[in-house]
Amino acid sequence: MIYFDNAATTKVIPEAAAAATAAMCEDFGNPSSLHGLGISAENMLSSARADIAEALSCTPREITFTSCGTESNNLAIFGAAARSGKRRHFVTTAYEHPSVLSTAKKLEADGFEVTYISPRDNGTIFPGDVAAAVRDDTFMVSVMSVNNEIGALMNIPAISNAVKLKNRDTLIHTDAVQAFLKIPINTKKYGADIISISGHKIHAPKGIGAIYIKQGVGLTPQLLGGGQERGLRSGTEPTAQIAAFAAAVRAGTKTLDDDRRRISDLSEKLQQELETLPNVHVLAPDSRAPHILNVSFTKYPSEVVMRILEEDGIYISAGSACSRGKKSHVLRALNVPERLIGSAVRISLSRFSTEEEVSEFISVAKAKLV
Ligand code: PLP
């Protein structure tokens, strides 16, 4: 099997699975319980929070666990909107993940005004375009760090600088679900007030995410109950997923620089070889996170390309996993011709992808798709 659908989800690494098993079968207490088992679960939770904080160069208090990237995005946007007072304007981009776009639509339905910034022809969001949209009443700007369909890499520090020059009270949120542990993110330099991340894109299980909230930034909780996570996100902490998340973060942080270099090399090889083939169009933004490559094999619709590759044990995605057959709003935002949109697929690598797999992919593509 060649698994090139890592932007949809990743394989859980053994260290993460082992940490989850230990948290389920040994240290299975409720972190809120006052007895020894509870305290031991609470200690695990604190150390997991510290590991994730270290990966983002922030303090553990700035990390709140959630159930997924979607929840983090909802909490960031609704949580800020709920306390925005008279400031009722929100800025985002036209090619965000649905967990941001649907949240923006709900804000509009509730009477907020939303400005959607279109990407430039080079595939990325121009900081000046974002700043130009910011007004006195803009409570938040939300721009993703890496686009999940085309890999476009946004310059969040530059966007933040430009926005804060125009209105220093505007909060900067970034959906970094596809960026975390793919590019280095140091919260001290990144310029974001709020950052969403998710476990299952970095070799932890599904059902765990986190949100970085810069000290001093307040969000209104969206889940009320027992007051866990300092009242910001009630619900008994999923200790198994959290332990696994932290284990995956520790492993991924250690090898981040090497992995980036290797994935870049593989991606470059893939792109160069594909660009030499007939009936192939590679959509590579000028600035790109290398683990995601969008390619149109123009002789076939996306679903057919996916099935043909699957016959040879190669797994890719016909667009993003969330789009399920709907034509990509991301490619539409980039004015990609319909013909190319209909045949676009996403190839996404992980640190476990190999050169042999890339060569095999190219030879199957040459034999069957062009
Ligand atoms: N944001 C981006 C950019 C994503 O790619 C995804 C998942 O595909 C999400 C958010 C949602 O994350 P989760 O699946 O953890 O809810």
PDB file of all heavy atoms in Angstrom, residues 7-9 67-73 96-100 144-149 175-179 196-201 206-209 292 320-322 346, ligand 1:
ATOM      1  N   ALA A   7      -3.056  14.363   4.233  1.00  0.00           N
ATOM      2  CA  ALA A   7      -3.740  15.601   4.625  1.00  0.00           C
ATOM      3  C   ALA A   7      -5.147  15.278   5.128  1.00  0.00           C
ATOM      4  O   ALA A   7      -5.769  16.078   5.832  1.00  0.00           O
ATOM      5  CB  ALA A   7      -3.793  16.579   3.466  1.00  0.00           C
ATOM      6  N   ALA A   8      -5.658  14.096   4.758  1.00  0.00           N
ATOM      7  CA  ALA A   8      -6.979  13.674   5.261  1.00  0.00           C
ATOM      8  C   ALA A   8      -6.830  13.153   6.686  1.00  0.00           C
ATOM      9  O   ALA A   8      -7.551  13.556   7.596  1.00  0.00           O
ATOM     10  CB  ALA A   8      -7.578  12.603   4.366  1.00  0.00           C
ATOM     11  N   THR A   9      -5.888  12.240   6.853  1.00  0.00           N
ATOM     12  CA  THR A   9      -5.549  11.771   8.187  1.00  0.00           C
ATOM     13  C   THR A   9      -4.250  10.979   8.092  1.00  0.00           C
ATOM     14  O   THR A   9      -3.813  10.627   6.996  1.00  0.00           O
ATOM     15  CB  THR A   9      -6.680  10.914   8.808  1.00  0.00           C
ATOM     16  OG1 THR A   9      -6.495  10.858  10.232  1.00  0.00           O
ATOM     17  CG2 THR A   9      -6.710   9.492   8.258  1.00  0.00           C
ATOM     18  N   SER A  67     -11.772  18.744  21.063  1.00  0.00           N
ATOM     19  CA  SER A  67     -11.956  17.415  20.467  1.00  0.00           C
ATOM     20  C   SER A  67     -11.369  17.307  19.063  1.00  0.00           C
ATOM     21  O   SER A  67     -11.231  16.205  18.536  1.00  0.00           O
ATOM     22  CB  SER A  67     -13.443  17.071  20.408  1.00  0.00           C
ATOM     23  OG  SER A  67     -14.105  17.984  19.553  1.00  0.00           O
ATOM     24  N   CYS A  68     -11.082  18.427  18.414  1.00  0.00           N
ATOM     25  CA  CYS A  68     -10.585  18.363  17.027  1.00  0.00           C
ATOM     26  C   CYS A  68     -10.288  19.773  16.525  1.00  0.00           C
ATOM     27  O   CYS A  68     -10.598  20.761  17.207  1.00  0.00           O
ATOM     28  CB  CYS A  68     -11.634  17.717  16.108  1.00  0.00           C
ATOM     29  SG  CYS A  68     -13.247  18.514  16.138  1.00  0.00           S
ATOM     30  N   GLY A  69      -9.725  19.842  15.328  1.00  0.00           N
ATOM     31  CA  GLY A  69      -9.452  21.143  14.719  1.00  0.00           C
ATOM     32  C   GLY A  69     -10.741  21.924  14.475  1.00  0.00           C
ATOM     33  O   GLY A  69     -10.780  23.142  14.639  1.00  0.00           O
ATOM     34  N   THR A  70     -11.786  21.218  14.097  1.00  0.00           N
ATOM     35  CA  THR A  70     -13.079  21.864  13.840  1.00  0.00           C
ATOM     36  C   THR A  70     -13.563  22.579  15.091  1.00  0.00           C
ATOM     37  O   THR A  70     -13.988  23.740  15.050  1.00  0.00           O
ATOM     38  CB  THR A  70     -14.111  20.798  13.401  1.00  0.00           C
ATOM     39  OG1 THR A  70     -13.660  20.230  12.163  1.00  0.00           O
ATOM     40  CG2 THR A  70     -15.494  21.384  13.227  1.00  0.00           C
ATOM     41  N   GLU A  71     -13.478  21.898  16.235  1.00  0.00           N
ATOM     42  CA  GLU A  71     -13.931  22.527  17.484  1.00  0.00           C
ATOM     43  C   GLU A  71     -13.051  23.726  17.830  1.00  0.00           C
ATOM     44  O   GLU A  71     -13.552  24.770  18.267  1.00  0.00           O
ATOM     45  CB  GLU A  71     -13.917  21.519  18.647  1.00  0.00           C
ATOM     46  CG  GLU A  71     -14.539  22.143  19.890  1.00  0.00           C
ATOM     47  CD  GLU A  71     -14.380  21.325  21.164  1.00  0.00           C
ATOM     48  OE1 GLU A  71     -14.220  20.087  21.093  1.00  0.00           O
ATOM     49  OE2 GLU A  71     -14.411  21.937  22.239  1.00  0.00           O
ATOM     50  N   SER A  72     -11.753  23.600  17.624  1.00  0.00           N
ATOM     51  CA  SER A  72     -10.856  24.729  17.916  1.00  0.00           C
ATOM     52  C   SER A  72     -11.238  25.936  17.066  1.00  0.00           C
ATOM     53  O   SER A  72     -11.286  27.068  17.560  1.00  0.00           O
ATOM     54  CB  SER A  72      -9.399  24.336  17.642  1.00  0.00           C
ATOM     55  OG  SER A  72      -8.998  23.298  18.513  1.00  0.00           O
ATOM     56  N   ASN A  73     -11.512  25.703  15.782  1.00  0.00           N
ATOM     57  CA  ASN A  73     -11.896  26.822  14.908  1.00  0.00           C
ATOM     58  C   ASN A  73     -13.219  27.451  15.363  1.00  0.00           C
ATOM     59  O   ASN A  73     -13.373  28.673  15.373  1.00  0.00           O
ATOM     60  CB  ASN A  73     -12.019  26.349  13.454  1.00  0.00           C
ATOM     61  CG  ASN A  73     -10.651  26.117  12.815  1.00  0.00           C
ATOM     62  OD1 ASN A  73      -9.645  26.645  13.291  1.00  0.00           O
ATOM     63  ND2 ASN A  73     -10.603  25.334  11.752  1.00  0.00           N
ATOM     64  N   GLU A  96     -10.876  28.950   3.009  1.00  0.00           N
ATOM     65  CA  GLU A  96     -10.676  28.291   4.309  1.00  0.00           C
ATOM     66  C   GLU A  96     -11.318  26.899   4.315  1.00  0.00           C
ATOM     67  O   GLU A  96     -12.159  26.567   3.464  1.00  0.00           O
ATOM     68  CB  GLU A  96     -11.338  29.122   5.412  1.00  0.00           C
ATOM     69  CG  GLU A  96     -10.720  30.470   5.649  1.00  0.00           C
ATOM     70  CD  GLU A  96      -9.308  30.415   6.245  1.00  0.00           C
ATOM     71  OE1 GLU A  96      -9.111  29.705   7.240  1.00  0.00           O
ATOM     72  OE2 GLU A  96      -8.429  31.110   5.707  1.00  0.00           O
ATOM     73  N   HIS A  97     -10.970  26.139   5.327  1.00  0.00           N
ATOM     74  CA  HIS A  97     -11.629  24.850   5.567  1.00  0.00           C
ATOM     75  C   HIS A  97     -13.096  25.113   5.949  1.00  0.00           C
ATOM     76  O   HIS A  97     -13.409  26.152   6.539  1.00  0.00           O
ATOM     77  CB  HIS A  97     -10.895  24.151   6.723  1.00  0.00           C
ATOM     78  CG  HIS A  97     -11.397  22.769   6.997  1.00  0.00           C
ATOM     79  ND1 HIS A  97     -12.380  22.502   7.929  1.00  0.00           N
ATOM     80  CD2 HIS A  97     -11.061  21.578   6.450  1.00  0.00           C
ATOM     81  CE1 HIS A  97     -12.609  21.198   7.953  1.00  0.00           C
ATOM     82  NE2 HIS A  97     -11.828  20.615   7.068  1.00  0.00           N
ATOM     83  N   PRO A  98     -14.007  24.164   5.633  1.00  0.00           N
ATOM     84  CA  PRO A  98     -15.429  24.375   5.977  1.00  0.00           C
ATOM     85  C   PRO A  98     -15.671  24.678   7.463  1.00  0.00           C
ATOM     86  O   PRO A  98     -16.652  25.336   7.801  1.00  0.00           O
ATOM     87  CB  PRO A  98     -16.086  23.046   5.600  1.00  0.00           C
ATOM     88  CG  PRO A  98     -15.189  22.451   4.565  1.00  0.00           C
ATOM     89  CD  PRO A  98     -13.798  22.925   4.864  1.00  0.00           C
ATOM     90  N   SER A  99     -14.790  24.240   8.344  1.00  0.00           N
ATOM     91  CA  SER A  99     -15.017  24.520   9.777  1.00  0.00           C
ATOM     92  C   SER A  99     -14.839  26.005  10.092  1.00  0.00           C
ATOM     93  O   SER A  99     -15.324  26.474  11.127  1.00  0.00           O
ATOM     94  CB  SER A  99     -14.079  23.671  10.648  1.00  0.00           C
ATOM     95  OG  SER A  99     -12.737  23.852  10.263  1.00  0.00           O
ATOM     96  N   VAL A 100     -14.181  26.747   9.220  1.00  0.00           N
ATOM     97  CA  VAL A 100     -14.122  28.206   9.362  1.00  0.00           C
ATOM     98  C   VAL A 100     -15.215  28.846   8.507  1.00  0.00           C
ATOM     99  O   VAL A 100     -15.949  29.717   8.965  1.00  0.00           O
ATOM    100  CB  VAL A 100     -12.727  28.746   8.952  1.00  0.00           C
ATOM    101  CG1 VAL A 100     -12.742  30.270   8.814  1.00  0.00           C
ATOM    102  CG2 VAL A 100     -11.689  28.332   9.992  1.00  0.00           C
ATOM    103  N   MET A 144      -6.024  30.847   7.314  1.00  0.00           N
ATOM    104  CA  MET A 144      -5.377  29.548   7.551  1.00  0.00           C
ATOM    105  C   MET A 144      -3.869  29.637   7.291  1.00  0.00           C
ATOM    106  O   MET A 144      -3.420  30.454   6.481  1.00  0.00           O
ATOM    107  CB  MET A 144      -6.018  28.447   6.692  1.00  0.00           C
ATOM    108  CG  MET A 144      -5.808  28.624   5.218  1.00  0.00           C
ATOM    109  SD  MET A 144      -6.992  27.713   4.134  1.00  0.00           S
ATOM    110  CE  MET A 144      -7.328  26.209   4.977  1.00  0.00           C
ATOM    111  N   SER A 145      -3.093  28.781   7.965  1.00  0.00           N
ATOM    112  CA  SER A 145      -1.642  28.809   7.768  1.00  0.00           C
ATOM    113  C   SER A 145      -1.245  28.072   6.498  1.00  0.00           C
ATOM    114  O   SER A 145      -0.386  28.532   5.739  1.00  0.00           O
ATOM    115  CB  SER A 145      -0.928  28.175   8.958  1.00  0.00           C
ATOM    116  OG  SER A 145      -1.034  28.996  10.089  1.00  0.00           O
ATOM    117  N   VAL A 146      -1.848  26.904   6.280  1.00  0.00           N
ATOM    118  CA  VAL A 146      -1.575  26.109   5.072  1.00  0.00           C
ATOM    119  C   VAL A 146      -2.915  25.622   4.542  1.00  0.00           C
ATOM    120  O   VAL A 146      -3.721  25.060   5.293  1.00  0.00           O
ATOM    121  CB  VAL A 146      -0.677  24.890   5.392  1.00  0.00           C
ATOM    122  CG1 VAL A 146      -0.608  23.925   4.202  1.00  0.00           C
ATOM    123  CG2 VAL A 146       0.738  25.339   5.773  1.00  0.00           C
ATOM    124  N   ASN A 147      -3.160  25.860   3.248  1.00  0.00           N
ATOM    125  CA  ASN A 147      -4.416  25.398   2.660  1.00  0.00           C
ATOM    126  C   ASN A 147      -4.407  23.887   2.476  1.00  0.00           C
ATOM    127  O   ASN A 147      -3.433  23.316   1.973  1.00  0.00           O
ATOM    128  CB  ASN A 147      -4.674  26.103   1.323  1.00  0.00           C
ATOM    129  CG  ASN A 147      -5.985  25.664   0.722  1.00  0.00           C
ATOM    130  OD1 ASN A 147      -6.048  24.632   0.063  1.00  0.00           O
ATOM    131  ND2 ASN A 147      -7.034  26.397   0.987  1.00  0.00           N
ATOM    132  N   ASN A 148      -5.511  23.251   2.877  1.00  0.00           N
ATOM    133  CA  ASN A 148      -5.556  21.786   2.901  1.00  0.00           C
ATOM    134  C   ASN A 148      -5.712  21.132   1.534  1.00  0.00           C
ATOM    135  O   ASN A 148      -5.499  19.934   1.399  1.00  0.00           O
ATOM    136  CB  ASN A 148      -6.692  21.306   3.821  1.00  0.00           C
ATOM    137  CG  ASN A 148      -8.004  21.987   3.538  1.00  0.00           C
ATOM    138  OD1 ASN A 148      -8.106  23.210   3.604  1.00  0.00           O
ATOM    139  ND2 ASN A 148      -9.012  21.219   3.198  1.00  0.00           N
ATOM    140  N   GLU A 149      -6.050  21.890   0.499  1.00  0.00           N
ATOM    141  CA  GLU A 149      -6.197  21.265  -0.823  1.00  0.00           C
ATOM    142  C   GLU A 149      -5.014  21.514  -1.739  1.00  0.00           C
ATOM    143  O   GLU A 149      -4.677  20.667  -2.563  1.00  0.00           O
ATOM    144  CB  GLU A 149      -7.480  21.761  -1.513  1.00  0.00           C
ATOM    145  CG  GLU A 149      -8.731  21.215  -0.857  1.00  0.00           C
ATOM    146  CD  GLU A 149      -9.973  21.498  -1.680  1.00  0.00           C
ATOM    147  OE1 GLU A 149      -9.915  21.473  -2.922  1.00  0.00           O
ATOM    148  OE2 GLU A 149     -11.021  21.750  -1.061  1.00  0.00           O
ATOM    149  N   ASP A 175      -5.974  28.912  11.439  1.00  0.00           N
ATOM    150  CA  ASP A 175      -6.220  27.479  11.418  1.00  0.00           C
ATOM    151  C   ASP A 175      -4.903  26.846  10.940  1.00  0.00           C
ATOM    152  O   ASP A 175      -4.558  26.922   9.764  1.00  0.00           O
ATOM    153  CB  ASP A 175      -7.366  27.206  10.437  1.00  0.00           C
ATOM    154  CG  ASP A 175      -7.559  25.726  10.147  1.00  0.00           C
ATOM    155  OD1 ASP A 175      -6.731  24.909  10.593  1.00  0.00           O
ATOM    156  OD2 ASP A 175      -8.538  25.395   9.451  1.00  0.00           O
ATOM    157  N   ALA A 176      -4.177  26.261  11.911  1.00  0.00           N
ATOM    158  CA  ALA A 176      -2.857  25.697  11.576  1.00  0.00           C
ATOM    159  C   ALA A 176      -2.903  24.171  11.549  1.00  0.00           C
ATOM    160  O   ALA A 176      -1.875  23.513  11.731  1.00  0.00           O
ATOM    161  CB  ALA A 176      -1.816  26.187  12.575  1.00  0.00           C
ATOM    162  N   VAL A 177      -4.097  23.638  11.286  1.00  0.00           N
ATOM    163  CA  VAL A 177      -4.257  22.177  11.304  1.00  0.00           C
ATOM    164  C   VAL A 177      -3.305  21.500  10.303  1.00  0.00           C
ATOM    165  O   VAL A 177      -2.738  20.449  10.592  1.00  0.00           O
ATOM    166  CB  VAL A 177      -5.742  21.806  11.043  1.00  0.00           C
ATOM    167  CG1 VAL A 177      -5.906  20.332  10.714  1.00  0.00           C
ATOM    168  CG2 VAL A 177      -6.589  22.169  12.258  1.00  0.00           C
ATOM    169  N   GLN A 178      -3.121  22.120   9.134  1.00  0.00           N
ATOM    170  CA  GLN A 178      -2.228  21.511   8.129  1.00  0.00           C
ATOM    171  C   GLN A 178      -0.794  22.038   8.235  1.00  0.00           C
ATOM    172  O   GLN A 178       0.063  21.654   7.436  1.00  0.00           O
ATOM    173  CB  GLN A 178      -2.755  21.762   6.710  1.00  0.00           C
ATOM    174  CG  GLN A 178      -4.082  21.091   6.400  1.00  0.00           C
ATOM    175  CD  GLN A 178      -3.988  19.554   6.301  1.00  0.00           C
ATOM    176  OE1 GLN A 178      -2.900  18.958   6.328  1.00  0.00           O
ATOM    177  NE2 GLN A 178      -5.140  18.904   6.183  1.00  0.00           N
ATOM    178  N   ALA A 179      -0.556  22.912   9.199  1.00  0.00           N
ATOM    179  CA  ALA A 179       0.781  23.504   9.323  1.00  0.00           C
ATOM    180  C   ALA A 179       1.551  22.974  10.521  1.00  0.00           C
ATOM    181  O   ALA A 179       2.781  22.882  10.483  1.00  0.00           O
ATOM    182  CB  ALA A 179       0.644  25.025   9.441  1.00  0.00           C
ATOM    183  N   SER A 196      -5.344  27.112  15.927  1.00  0.00           N
ATOM    184  CA  SER A 196      -6.023  25.807  16.018  1.00  0.00           C
ATOM    185  C   SER A 196      -5.115  24.706  15.488  1.00  0.00           C
ATOM    186  O   SER A 196      -4.506  24.865  14.416  1.00  0.00           O
ATOM    187  CB  SER A 196      -7.289  25.805  15.152  1.00  0.00           C
ATOM    188  OG  SER A 196      -8.169  26.836  15.517  1.00  0.00           O
ATOM    189  N   ILE A 197      -5.051  23.591  16.229  1.00  0.00           N
ATOM    190  CA  ILE A 197      -4.290  22.424  15.751  1.00  0.00           C
ATOM    191  C   ILE A 197      -5.109  21.150  15.986  1.00  0.00           C
ATOM    192  O   ILE A 197      -6.076  21.165  16.744  1.00  0.00           O
ATOM    193  CB  ILE A 197      -2.888  22.313  16.414  1.00  0.00           C
ATOM    194  CG1 ILE A 197      -3.019  22.183  17.932  1.00  0.00           C
ATOM    195  CG2 ILE A 197      -2.014  23.500  16.046  1.00  0.00           C
ATOM    196  CD1 ILE A 197      -1.671  21.956  18.640  1.00  0.00           C
ATOM    197  N   SER A 198      -4.696  20.068  15.334  1.00  0.00           N
ATOM    198  CA  SER A 198      -5.455  18.815  15.428  1.00  0.00           C
ATOM    199  C   SER A 198      -4.504  17.629  15.480  1.00  0.00           C
ATOM    200  O   SER A 198      -3.467  17.625  14.811  1.00  0.00           O
ATOM    201  CB  SER A 198      -6.359  18.706  14.199  1.00  0.00           C
ATOM    202  OG  SER A 198      -7.007  17.459  14.172  1.00  0.00           O
ATOM    203  N   GLY A 199      -4.877  16.613  16.256  1.00  0.00           N
ATOM    204  CA  GLY A 199      -3.992  15.462  16.455  1.00  0.00           C
ATOM    205  C   GLY A 199      -3.863  14.521  15.265  1.00  0.00           C
ATOM    206  O   GLY A 199      -2.775  14.033  14.956  1.00  0.00           O
ATOM    207  N   HIS A 200      -4.997  14.285  14.579  1.00  0.00           N
ATOM    208  CA  HIS A 200      -4.943  13.185  13.612  1.00  0.00           C
ATOM    209  C   HIS A 200      -4.182  13.509  12.321  1.00  0.00           C
ATOM    210  O   HIS A 200      -3.955  12.630  11.493  1.00  0.00           O
ATOM    211  CB  HIS A 200      -6.348  12.619  13.321  1.00  0.00           C
ATOM    212  CG  HIS A 200      -7.221  13.477  12.471  1.00  0.00           C
ATOM    213  ND1 HIS A 200      -7.509  13.169  11.165  1.00  0.00           N
ATOM    214  CD2 HIS A 200      -7.903  14.613  12.739  1.00  0.00           C
ATOM    215  CE1 HIS A 200      -8.342  14.083  10.677  1.00  0.00           C
ATOM    216  NE2 HIS A 200      -8.593  14.968  11.615  1.00  0.00           N
ATOM    217  N   LYS A 201      -3.760  14.769  12.176  1.00  0.00           N
ATOM    218  CA  LYS A 201      -2.931  15.110  11.007  1.00  0.00           C
ATOM    219  C   LYS A 201      -1.448  14.910  11.314  1.00  0.00           C
ATOM    220  O   LYS A 201      -0.605  15.081  10.451  1.00  0.00           O
ATOM    221  CB  LYS A 201      -3.153  16.573  10.597  1.00  0.00           C
ATOM    222  CG  LYS A 201      -4.600  17.002  10.481  1.00  0.00           C
ATOM    223  CD  LYS A 201      -5.339  16.363   9.326  1.00  0.00           C
ATOM    224  CE  LYS A 201      -6.732  16.974   9.186  1.00  0.00           C
ATOM    225  NZ  LYS A 201      -7.527  16.390   8.114  1.00  0.00           N
ATOM    226  N   LYS A 206      -7.669  10.297  15.905  1.00  0.00           N
ATOM    227  CA  LYS A 206      -8.730  11.271  15.639  1.00  0.00           C
ATOM    228  C   LYS A 206      -9.433  11.603  16.962  1.00  0.00           C
ATOM    229  O   LYS A 206      -9.395  10.806  17.894  1.00  0.00           O
ATOM    230  CB  LYS A 206      -9.731  10.666  14.649  1.00  0.00           C
ATOM    231  CG  LYS A 206      -9.106  10.411  13.290  1.00  0.00           C
ATOM    232  CD  LYS A 206      -9.876   9.368  12.506  1.00  0.00           C
ATOM    233  CE  LYS A 206      -9.087   8.883  11.314  1.00  0.00           C
ATOM    234  NZ  LYS A 206      -7.837   8.164  11.658  1.00  0.00           N
ATOM    235  N   GLY A 207     -10.076  12.750  17.014  1.00  0.00           N
ATOM    236  CA  GLY A 207     -10.854  13.091  18.212  1.00  0.00           C
ATOM    237  C   GLY A 207     -10.073  13.864  19.251  1.00  0.00           C
ATOM    238  O   GLY A 207     -10.473  13.910  20.410  1.00  0.00           O
ATOM    239  N   ILE A 208      -8.970  14.474  18.853  1.00  0.00           N
ATOM    240  CA  ILE A 208      -8.246  15.336  19.787  1.00  0.00           C
ATOM    241  C   ILE A 208      -7.666  16.527  19.034  1.00  0.00           C
ATOM    242  O   ILE A 208      -7.114  16.385  17.942  1.00  0.00           O
ATOM    243  CB  ILE A 208      -7.141  14.570  20.577  1.00  0.00           C
ATOM    244  CG1 ILE A 208      -6.457  15.472  21.606  1.00  0.00           C
ATOM    245  CG2 ILE A 208      -6.106  13.930  19.647  1.00  0.00           C
ATOM    246  CD1 ILE A 208      -7.349  15.913  22.735  1.00  0.00           C
ATOM    247  N   GLY A 209      -7.828  17.680  19.626  1.00  0.00           N
ATOM    248  CA  GLY A 209      -7.263  18.899  19.052  1.00  0.00           C
ATOM    249  C   GLY A 209      -6.850  19.813  20.180  1.00  0.00           C
ATOM    250  O   GLY A 209      -6.961  19.454  21.362  1.00  0.00           O
ATOM    251  N   ILE A 292       1.676  18.772   0.565  1.00  0.00           N
ATOM    252  CA  ILE A 292       0.423  18.734  -0.208  1.00  0.00           C
ATOM    253  C   ILE A 292       0.678  19.183  -1.645  1.00  0.00           C
ATOM    254  O   ILE A 292       1.260  20.249  -1.873  1.00  0.00           O
ATOM    255  CB  ILE A 292      -0.648  19.644   0.436  1.00  0.00           C
ATOM    256  CG1 ILE A 292      -0.996  19.138   1.852  1.00  0.00           C
ATOM    257  CG2 ILE A 292      -1.903  19.713  -0.428  1.00  0.00           C
ATOM    258  CD1 ILE A 292      -1.941  20.037   2.629  1.00  0.00           C
ATOM    259  N   SER A 320     -10.504  17.536  -1.082  1.00  0.00           N
ATOM    260  CA  SER A 320     -10.323  17.371   0.363  1.00  0.00           C
ATOM    261  C   SER A 320     -11.309  16.346   0.881  1.00  0.00           C
ATOM    262  O   SER A 320     -12.376  16.150   0.320  1.00  0.00           O
ATOM    263  CB  SER A 320     -10.515  18.697   1.082  1.00  0.00           C
ATOM    264  OG  SER A 320     -11.880  18.888   1.341  1.00  0.00           O
ATOM    265  N   ALA A 321     -10.957  15.662   1.968  1.00  0.00           N
ATOM    266  CA  ALA A 321     -11.789  14.591   2.507  1.00  0.00           C
ATOM    267  C   ALA A 321     -13.171  15.103   2.881  1.00  0.00           C
ATOM    268  O   ALA A 321     -14.142  14.362   2.852  1.00  0.00           O
ATOM    269  CB  ALA A 321     -11.111  13.995   3.727  1.00  0.00           C
ATOM    270  N   CYS A 322     -13.253  16.388   3.213  1.00  0.00           N
ATOM    271  CA  CYS A 322     -14.534  16.919   3.675  1.00  0.00           C
ATOM    272  C   CYS A 322     -15.471  17.263   2.520  1.00  0.00           C
ATOM    273  O   CYS A 322     -16.642  17.500   2.717  1.00  0.00           O
ATOM    274  CB  CYS A 322     -14.322  18.187   4.491  1.00  0.00           C
ATOM    275  SG  CYS A 322     -13.194  17.933   5.847  1.00  0.00           S
ATOM    276  N   ARG A 346      -5.621  15.336  -4.824  1.00  0.00           N
ATOM    277  CA  ARG A 346      -4.630  15.815  -3.855  1.00  0.00           C
ATOM    278  C   ARG A 346      -3.726  14.661  -3.450  1.00  0.00           C
ATOM    279  O   ARG A 346      -4.208  13.592  -3.052  1.00  0.00           O
ATOM    280  CB  ARG A 346      -5.342  16.364  -2.626  1.00  0.00           C
ATOM    281  CG  ARG A 346      -4.376  16.816  -1.542  1.00  0.00           C
ATOM    282  CD  ARG A 346      -5.115  17.300  -0.317  1.00  0.00           C
ATOM    283  NE  ARG A 346      -5.825  16.229   0.357  1.00  0.00           N
ATOM    284  CZ  ARG A 346      -6.634  16.415   1.392  1.00  0.00           C
ATOM    285  NH1 ARG A 346      -6.849  17.631   1.846  1.00  0.00           N
ATOM    286  NH2 ARG A 346      -7.235  15.394   1.965  1.00  0.00           N
TER     287      ARG A 346
HETATM  288  N1  PLP B   1      -8.694  22.822   9.111  1.00  0.00           N
HETATM  289  C1  PLP B   1      -8.017  22.267   8.113  1.00  0.00           C
HETATM  290  C2  PLP B   1      -7.138  23.126   7.258  1.00  0.00           C
HETATM  291  C3  PLP B   1      -8.128  20.897   7.858  1.00  0.00           C
HETATM  292  O1  PLP B   1      -7.451  20.350   6.842  1.00  0.00           O
HETATM  293  C4  PLP B   1      -8.975  20.130   8.687  1.00  0.00           C
HETATM  294  C5  PLP B   1      -9.172  18.691   8.417  1.00  0.00           C
HETATM  295  O2  PLP B   1      -9.104  18.235   7.307  1.00  0.00           O
HETATM  296  C6  PLP B   1      -9.646  20.761   9.734  1.00  0.00           C
HETATM  297  C7  PLP B   1      -9.476  22.109   9.926  1.00  0.00           C
HETATM  298  C8  PLP B   1     -10.534  19.996  10.653  1.00  0.00           C
HETATM  299  O3  PLP B   1      -9.792  19.268  11.589  1.00  0.00           O
HETATM  300  P1  PLP B   1     -10.462  18.045  12.349  1.00  0.00           P
HETATM  301  O4  PLP B   1     -10.599  16.940  11.356  1.00  0.00           O
HETATM  302  O5  PLP B   1      -9.532  17.734  13.464  1.00  0.00           O
HETATM  303  O6  PLP B   1     -11.787  18.538  12.839  1.00  0.00           O
END
